[in-house]
Amino acid sequence: MFHVLRHTFASVQLEAGESIVSLATWLGHSSPKVTLDYYAHFMPGAGKRGLAAMDRWLV
């Protein structure tokens, strides 16, 4: 049960756009890479947000 709550927390945070570094710290992972290995699939818009930020910066 605890694992399900932890997984839900992580997935909701990433879908909301929270930093992978912050989430890794909160979950007690040894590095953000560990967090990415488990939860990267919950970040489908991550690349799009970065591209959009560059578009806004260039305009």
Side-chain angles (χ1 to χ4, degrees):
M1 186 68 173
F2 177 76
H3 179 73
V4 173
L5 291 173
R6 179 179 168 92
H7 190 74
T8 301
F9 171 79
S11 62
V12 168
Q13 292 299 309
L14 290 174
E15 287 175 350
E18 185 55 66
S19 159
I20 195 73
V21 175
S22 295
L23 185 60
T25 300
W26 297 338
L27 294 175
H29 290 161
S30 58
S31 74
K33 182 187 179 319
V34 173
T35 309
L36 282 171
D37 288 345
Y38 283 104
Y39 298 106
H41 60 284
F42 288 106
M43 303 172 64
K48 293 176 187 168
R49 286 193 305 270
L51 291 174
M54 287 305 299
D55 284 345
R56 287 190 302 274
W57 184 75
L58 291 171
V59 173

